Amino acid sequence: MINDVNNGGGGPYQDQCAMVQRIVEELELGQDSKWDMYFKFDGSSVPDNNKDDEEEQQQQQRHTQIPSQWIREGQPGSRAIKELQGLPPAGQTHRHINWFTTACNNSQEVTSIQFKALMMFVTRACDLGLVPLYDLANHHNGLINTRLATDDEGGLSMIASTAIEANEPIYNTYARGGGGSTVDVFNSYGFVEDYPQLWRWSDVDMTRLVEEDPNHAFGRYVGPNGDDQGVDGEGRGFEPNSHHYEVLVVSPTLAALHPTKSLLQVLGNWRRSIDEWKAEIEYHHATLRQSHVNAMHDSAITVLSELPTTIAEDAMTILPNERRLFEKMKKKGRVDQSKADTIQAIEYRLAFKKALKLAADVAESDKFFVDSEEL
């Protein structure tokens, strides 16, 4: 395990900076580091364009990057960020490198070895540091089959939470209990997670509500008898997961609007069947006020209407054309990383748009709680 040693108790940011610096020190040792083979196996860093072997450069480029590795907006070859069309994480795509530059590097330009260390830290580290083998487990909050345990000596154990058959993937979670959204997973790991997905966004009206009343989101829910209360008869809580708009997409046709913390506790901790999800969501929507549903519906429709392309255009024309051009260049022996990043952004925005559309559809079709004054 590679972790911070002798941290000075300066808080989480200092500990994280120390962790990245620890990785830098090991990388600088090269083959003398006992972690050398582990580092060579890692694929989270940017291609080394100083390599003399052009084929090796091409091989290094054939991997998915995270948004922090995309070319910054305004620089030559930059397109991926624009293809987000303003959807989150637009404006925050380089937050990891920006954080490191200011919090850890005295606002100095980040070196290539620091960048490699930072990318390893962002995409592979857990709270304890870099843990070989553990960090090979893929993320899947729908098929999660492990749980973690620590011991008094700082060790980490990954324990099967259900029967795992031979050749079955071992799944971990990168976003437990609704703390991280699908937007966060994409921004830190570079992929759109499989279902269930938690999509989060905001708008001017939501920002105003938060400014006027930071606790406004607690007013979204009512008890089973129409009264405001903290928990229902079965101990399920009515605490909002966040004050943003959120939609939990369980399948292409099943979603929960404004999920509570209680509803999301399953994510990364255990599994639910579709039938179980349906029952939980039906109950949840019965306690969700129609007025808040209407606001989410209007926001989702407005966002979709203001985007420059539609779901159909992205899915049927733009994305297929970009993929075709990428494959055409690939057959000629050239991998265009900028094009790959662009495709990645379009795939992501398409998934986000589908989630917004589903949120609007559910708002129009499901049954919610209607206050007497709304009748």
Side-chain angles (χ1 to χ4, degrees), residues 158-180:
M158 177 178 278
I159 303 168
S161 58
T162 187
I164 302 176
E165 301 295 331
N167 299 317
E168 181 182 349
I170 296 176
Y171 289 115
N172 187 17
T173 180
Y174 302 166
R176 191 182 304 276

Side-chain angles (χ1 to χ4, degrees), residues 228-278:
D228 296 319
Q229 54 184 349
V231 296
D232 67 8
E234 298 181 14
R236 289 179 289 199
F238 292 103
E239 182 180 355
N241 188 61
S242 81
H243 58 254
H244 303 284
Y245 296 113
E246 285 187 334
V247 55
L248 175 68
V249 179
V250 177
S251 77
T253 58
L254 181 63
L257 309 186
H258 283 314
T260 59
K261 284 185 180 296
S262 175
L263 185 65
L264 297 178
Q265 278 304 301
V266 65
L267 299 182
N269 291 308
W270 65 92
R271 301 181 183 184
R272 274 196 184 123
S273 69
I274 287 294
D275 287 340
E276 289 171 333
W277 273 118
K278 286 180 179 178

Side-chain angles (χ1 to χ4, degrees), residues 10-126:
Y13 287 152
Q14 285 73 21
D15 292 347
Q16 292 167 4
C17 292
M19 180 70 247
V20 178
Q21 180 56 36
R22 180 80 170 84
I23 300 171
V24 168
E25 292 169 358
E26 291 293 333
L27 286 170
E28 289 176 335
L29 290 176
Q31 294 183 351
D32 291 333
S33 170
K34 68 177 181 179
W35 305 106
D36 183 52
M37 291 303 298
Y38 171 65
F39 290 147
K40 288 179 178 177
F41 181 78
D42 174 72
S44 61
S45 61
V46 292
D48 185 353
N49 294 318
N50 294 319
K51 293 283 187 181
D52 294 330
D53 189 330
E54 183 176 347
E55 176 62 22
E56 187 170 352
Q57 288 188 33
Q58 292 292 315
Q59 290 290 342
Q60 286 186 328
Q61 288 179 320
R62 294 169 190 169
H63 66 91
T64 299
Q65 300 195 125
I66 70 171
S68 283
Q69 294 170 298
W70 292 352
I71 300 173
R72 287 184 182 266
E73 197 168 12
Q75 295 182 352
S78 170
R79 185 183 163 199
I81 294 176
K82 182 179 178 181
E83 292 299 340
L84 292 175
Q85 297 183 343
L87 292 170
Q92 294 293 319
T93 52
H94 287 72
R95 71 181 184 90
H96 296 300
I97 187 67
N98 292 340
W99 161 78
F100 180 79
T101 301
T102 56
C104 309
N105 210 41
N106 296 319
S107 298
Q108 300 296 312
E109 184 175 354
V110 177
T111 66
S112 60
I113 197 168
Q114 285 177 320
F115 192 83
K116 179 178 177 67
L118 176 62
M119 292 301 98
M120 293 182 68
F121 170 75
V122 169
T123 61
R124 304 188 76 88
C126 67

